[in-house]
Amino acid sequence: FDAPDCGGSELFINLTDNPHLDTVYGGYCVFARVEDDGSFRVMDEVAEAVKREGRVAIRSATIP
């Protein structure tokens, strides 16, 4: 399924519920979830940066 400008090679972190993503362009796949306190702290930092800057570019991430 190919939809122009749909973020096919991008990672999106949803900070709120986005139920419309279940149906737009055939639906988006969710492939991860935040489960531990350390990961929640990282997501809180991302959320705060988005509030300050309007958007955040994550250049790299290490997943153990």
Side-chain angles (χ1 to χ4, degrees):
F1 192 86
D2 185 23
D5 301 319
C6 72
S9 63
E10 298 172 325
L11 169 69
F12 292 92
I13 299 171
N14 288 297
L15 301 174
T16 62
D17 286 336
N18 292 288
H20 68 284
L21 294 177
D22 293 337
T23 56
V24 70
Y25 295 119
Y28 283 88
C29 176
V30 175
F31 58 90
R33 65 179 168 218
V34 179
E35 291 192 333
D36 61 67
D37 290 339
S39 297
F40 273 106
R41 282 192 293 277
V42 170
M43 291 298 98
D44 287 341
E45 290 178 25
V46 169
E48 287 303 315
V50 169
K51 288 178 190 174
R52 273 193 320 275
E53 308 294 328
R55 65 184 296 169
V56 174
I58 299 172
R59 305 274 183 237
S60 67
T62 302
I63 301 171

